[in-house]
Amino acid sequence: MKVSVNRFMENPLLKPADVKPSRPGLEVACLLNPGVFEFDNKIWLIVRVAERPHQQQDLISFPVLEENGIRIIEISKKDPDLVATDPRVIRYRGDDYLTTLSHLRLLCSEDGIRFYEPEGYPQLHGIGQLETFGIEDCRVTKIGDTYYLTYTAVSPNGVAVGMRTTKDWKTFTREGVIIPPHNKDCALFEEKIHDHYYALHRPSSVDLGGNYIWLAKSPDGKHWGHHKCLVKTREGYWDSARVGAGAAPIKTSAGWLEIYHGANAKQQYGLGALLLDLDDPSKVLARSEDPIMAPEAPYELTGFFSQVVFTNGHVVRGDELTIYYGAADEVVCAAKFSIADILSSLNR
């Protein structure tokens, strides 16, 4: 059964030109992969803003965070030690660097379509040695009166899961790295199960295993253990190369519904769905045979990194699921789904 996807007519909702750079000398290259939450009777996005210096014809230049600000590194495109086949990452003299530096920016909306930056709310930037290449792709989960922000912390030490918490979105508590490298795509469940917090995450290995979705549990939401591999890639499918969690699983009468991303060997990213047992989320009850959403619109097919739809945030209104997503690693878009429609499409 094919799932009906209703992309917003207003897409893209946000483009790089819609926000100002965080500091002089940088330009916004991409807006992507927003976390989503509701607060103060509005829908909010915590958007990843990827910045870099204005690019010159013969140079690749990119910023790196340091204690006293940023340092701009410039490398000649003709340098024999430069490997620049991926627009997102370069390799230079044995070290990897990101071509952009990301931080998180808060935007809000009364209608879920027109977003703006409100006054009095801070930007969130990388802090310390484990975030010198920036912070990315934030998921937001509210438990009680606390919002848990899990994000990708990037540095020369690797890619890890960082956490900050807040109650008012103006003051934040840094919890540091909660899952060490190499790990990302961490999404907390929105309630405790048998007095434990649960989270989906995605460790990676370049030599053994693969990019799979794992489950972890915690007594306090900060210290994680009891890890279990939950969902693997599938050879010959749309999610053959990697899979990773989207936002917090959605509680339904049938189980925990998780919207996840998958990619194939051609690095084409689509969205699928998992159904997990309500009482024991380590049990996978059903999974998408085909993607519920694949890159089709022009703004999904062409951009900073083409053929990508990637989500880590949504809003639920009864049966209506509004997914906010990054398209082609460049712009922010939205689409509506029926939860019942997604559940009916799953291969049990």
Side-chain angles (χ1 to χ4, degrees), residues 45-265:
L45 305 180
I46 183 162
V47 181
R48 174 182 166 190
V49 180
E51 299 176 305
R52 63 184 179 185
H54 179 71
Q55 298 298 290
Q56 302 178 49
Q57 184 175 357
D58 297 324
L59 293 174
I60 288 180
S61 58
F62 52 90
V64 175
L65 279 173
E66 294 187 337
E67 286 188 15
N68 299 319
I70 65 169
R71 177 168 63 100
I72 304 298
I73 298 175
E74 295 182 339
I75 303 171
S76 169
K77 292 182 178 178
K78 298 178 182 179
D79 194 311
D81 294 324
L82 174 67
V83 180
T85 55
D86 189 320
R88 303 166 299 178
V89 183
I90 66 165
R91 190 164 186 81
Y92 184 63
R93 294 181 178 174
D95 293 323
D96 293 322
Y97 298 92
L98 299 186
T99 59
T100 59
L101 178 66
S102 292
H103 68 277
L104 304 175
R105 195 88 63 95
L106 289 163
L107 297 95
C108 64
S109 172
E110 285 77 18
D111 62 6
I113 298 172
R114 290 172 285 272
F115 287 87
Y116 60 93
E117 284 192 73
E119 294 184 0
Y121 291 88
Q123 300 175 8
L124 301 184
H125 291 263
I127 301 173
Q129 291 185 349
L130 299 181
E131 299 178 357
T132 55
F133 286 0
I135 56 177
E136 308 174 352
D137 298 354
C138 182
R139 278 88 169 159
V140 179
T141 296
K142 186 181 182 184
I143 303 176
D145 63 351
T146 301
Y147 294 88
Y148 293 78
L149 287 66
T150 51
Y151 57 86
T152 305
V154 192
S155 76
N157 301 291
V159 178
V161 176
M163 177 185 281
R164 302 182 194 186
T165 59
T166 185
K167 297 180 187 293
D168 60 6
W169 290 99
K170 294 186 177 181
T171 57
F172 296 81
T173 300
R174 290 179 60 216
E175 308 294 350
V177 165
I178 61 169
I179 305 179
H182 186 292
N183 205 298
K184 62 194 309 188
D185 299 333
C186 181
L188 274 63
F189 286 61
E190 292 186 314
E191 64 180 62
K192 291 193 282 186
I193 304 170
H194 302 305
D195 292 326
H196 279 85
Y197 296 83
Y198 279 81
L200 301 172
H201 64 98
R202 211 280 300 284
S204 301
S205 170
V206 296
D207 297 316
L208 188 66
N211 297 299
Y212 308 147
I213 298 174
W214 286 56
L215 181 74
K217 68 178 182 178
S218 166
D220 58 7
K222 301 172 186 178
H223 302 89
W224 296 89
H226 300 276
H227 300 276
K228 179 180 179 180
C229 186
L230 200 65
V231 174
K232 294 186 176 184
T233 52
R234 298 177 291 187
E235 187 175 354
Y237 281 73
W238 61 277
D239 53 4
S240 61
R242 61 180 56 84
V243 292
I250 303 160
K251 191 175 186 180
T252 75
S253 59
W256 295 101
L257 178 64
E258 171 61 19
I259 307 301
Y260 74 98
H261 67 265
N264 60 22

Side-chain angles (χ1 to χ4, degrees), residues 254-297:
W256 295 101
L257 178 64
E258 171 61 19
I259 307 301
Y260 74 98
H261 67 265
N264 60 22
K266 296 180 180 179
Q267 305 235 47
Q268 298 165 322
Y269 281 75
L271 303 181
L274 302 168
L275 190 65
L276 309 176
D277 186 84
L278 285 176
D279 191 58
D280 181 2
S282 69
K283 296 179 180 178
V284 179
L285 305 179
R287 183 175 179 181
S288 295
E289 188 83 7
D290 300 307
I292 64 170
M293 185 179 188
E296 294 178 1

Side-chain angles (χ1 to χ4, degrees), residues 305-324:
F305 193 80
S306 300
Q307 301 193 65
V308 171
V309 292
F310 186 103
T311 187
N312 40 276
H314 57 240
V315 173
V316 177
R317 295 276 192 275
D319 180 61
E320 183 182 80
L321 173 65
T322 302
I323 290 178
Y324 291 89

